């Protein structure tokens, strides 16, 4: 049995690593008794610490590891989810300093913003679509606190699914206006195409990934709330960020989003 003190200590170590921008060892080697349920308890604790110390609030949720390719790459067998905080949000077209990051990467996403609560169990794709206010292009900056982005599913969940920052487009699109399976995506780095994909790379349909998360959340007494944003999962692999880089994501029918990085 893992002690409450240990959960608190791991959450605090993750918080400190992010705040001071240093890498730490993954925890499963030191605490083999960790499991997925405990990992989400650590995540909750970490979010409480961040809300308190950074004087911020929950703005939504994120899915990670939603594509088979990414799961295979990271050696995990199911997606993860995490929490977005208000102070993680960065404006469209921003020039972002890389100073606060450990070894950040960036990835294209489709963001959903909700007009109704979504409470599991038995949430379907249709329920997610019905509760959606709008979708918009997004990018996520991920920054694992673990050495070399090397972790197990348990570790990455404790680390709030590597979340760091997110950028949303300013234009809003109704779900009826987009094809959530076929919508194409072109991800460019410094003007060159880095990767291409389609919305269906996220579990066949990003709304399916959100339904999956809603059905998991209810088991922990949580749900997606009206007004919250959900990043539905990366459409391509994540790319490392260096100073001077510029990234653009363009989606079929819902426009583009651009960010740049400086020292
Ligand atoms: O897809 C994601 O948002 C990342 C989730 C965690 C996995 C990673 O750090 O690559
Ligand atoms: Mg992501």
């Amino acid at each position: 049995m893992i002690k409450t003190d240990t959960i608190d200590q791991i959450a605090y170590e993750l918080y400190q690593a992010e705040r001071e921008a240093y890498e730490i060892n993954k925890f499963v080697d030191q605490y083999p008794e960790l499991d997925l349920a405990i990992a989400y308890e650590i995540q909750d604790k970490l979010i409480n610490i961040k809300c308190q110390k950074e004087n911020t609030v929950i703005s939504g949720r994120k899915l990670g590891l939603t594509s088979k390719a990414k799961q295979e790459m990271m050696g995990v067998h199911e997606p993860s989810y995490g929490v977005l905080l208000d102070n993680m949000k960065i404006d469209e077209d921003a020039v972002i300093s890389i100073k606060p990051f450990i070894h950040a990467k960036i990835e294209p996403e489709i963001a959903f913003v909700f007009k109704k609560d979504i409470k599991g169990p038995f949430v379907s794709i249709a329920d997610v679509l019905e509760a959606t206010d709008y979708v918009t292009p997004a990018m996520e900056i991920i920054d694992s606190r673990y050495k070399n982005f090397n972790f197990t599913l348990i570790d990455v969940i404790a680390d709030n699914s590597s979340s760091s920052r997110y950028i949303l487009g300013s234009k809003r699109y109704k779900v009826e206006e987009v094809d959530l399976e076929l919508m194409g995506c072109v991800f460019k780095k410094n003007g060159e195409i880095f990767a291409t994909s389609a919305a269906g790379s996220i579990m066949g349909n990003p709304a399916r990934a959100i339904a999956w998360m809603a059905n998991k959340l209810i088991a922990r007494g949580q749900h997606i709330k009206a007004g919250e944003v959900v990043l539905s999962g990366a459409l391509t692999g994540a790319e490392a960020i260096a100073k001077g880089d510029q990234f653009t994501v363009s989606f079929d029918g819902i426009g583009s989003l651009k960010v740049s990085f400086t020292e």
Side-chain angles (χ1 to χ4, degrees):
M1 259 278 280
I2 195 135
K3 293 197 195 109
T4 312
D5 282 2
T6 311
I7 292 177
D8 291 355
Q9 185 201 323
I10 294 174
Y12 199 72
E13 281 186 41
L14 285 162
Y15 166 72
Q16 282 283 68
E18 179 175 2
R19 199 180 71 158
E20 308 289 332
Y22 59 79
E23 297 177 319
I24 54 177
N25 290 318
K26 55 187 181 342
F27 291 100
V28 286
D29 304 329
Q30 197 182 342
Y31 302 105
E33 64 274 41
L34 288 175
D35 61 21
L36 291 182
I38 300 168
Y40 278 111
E41 273 186 59
I42 297 168
Q43 185 190 108
D44 283 346
K45 187 80 207 177
L46 172 63
I47 294 304
N48 284 340
I49 295 172
K50 282 172 68 75
C51 283
Q52 250 177 38
K53 302 253 185 208
E54 298 170 7
N55 194 22
T56 191
V57 291
I58 292 175
S59 55
R61 311 253 170 197
K62 61 158 283 183
L63 280 133
L65 307 170
T66 41
S67 71
K68 273 273 162 275
K70 184 96 183 234
Q71 287 177 17
E72 273 164 23
M73 189 174 120
M74 306 313 291
V76 305
H77 60 278
E78 66 173 51
S80 65
Y81 58 91
V83 173
L84 298 176
L85 298 174
D86 205 39
N87 66 352
M88 294 178 181
K89 189 171 171 201
I90 293 181
D91 288 337
E92 187 177 12
D93 290 328
V95 179
I96 303 164
S97 166
I98 58 165
K99 274 211 190 92
F101 302 128
I102 304 168
H103 42 204
K105 299 182 184 183
I106 189 161
E107 55 192 24
E109 304 247 355
I110 301 165
F112 287 62
V113 177
F114 291 97
K115 60 185 175 201
K116 289 185 188 166
D117 288 9
I118 310 183
K119 240 182 197 167
F122 314 123
V123 174
S124 64
I125 293 181
D127 296 328
V128 171
L129 298 180
E130 211 256 317
T132 303
D133 189 4
Y134 62 90
V135 294
T136 190
M139 284 194 253
E140 183 181 21
I141 299 173
I142 53 172
D143 197 20
S144 172
R145 271 48 72 172
Y146 300 115
K147 267 184 199 143
N148 305 320
F149 258 90
N150 184 338
F151 44 70
T152 63
L153 188 58
I154 289 168
D155 290 295
V156 73
I157 288 166
D159 187 27
N160 195 25
S161 269
S162 305
S163 69
S164 177
R165 304 284 191 277
Y166 67 99
I167 307 108
L168 300 186
S170 54
K171 295 213 179 99
R172 303 171 172 199
Y173 298 86
K174 296 279 159 214
V175 279
E176 300 79 43
E177 294 175 66
V178 297
D179 185 328
L180 287 172
E181 290 179 15
L182 295 180
M183 180 170 61
C185 156
V186 176
F187 187 40
K188 285 189 182 168
K189 176 180 180 181
N190 302 326
E192 304 274 332
I193 293 179
F194 169 71
T196 57
S197 186
S201 62
I202 304 162
M203 293 173 76
N205 181 328
R208 179 176 289 112
I210 297 173
W212 174 86
M213 178 174 70
N215 290 325
K216 291 281 181 184
L217 280 174
I218 198 66
R220 297 170 52 225
Q222 300 179 9
H223 65 278
I224 299 167
K225 296 189 179 140
E228 286 186 348
V229 55
V230 173
L231 297 182
S232 54
L235 287 98
T236 71
E239 173 64 345
I241 296 167
K243 68 173 179 199
D245 281 343
Q246 184 191 82
F247 293 89
T248 312
V249 61
S250 305
F251 288 96
D252 198 10
I254 65 166
S256 307
L257 186 60
K258 184 180 76 188
V259 284
S260 318
F261 292 89
T262 185
E263 194 143 4

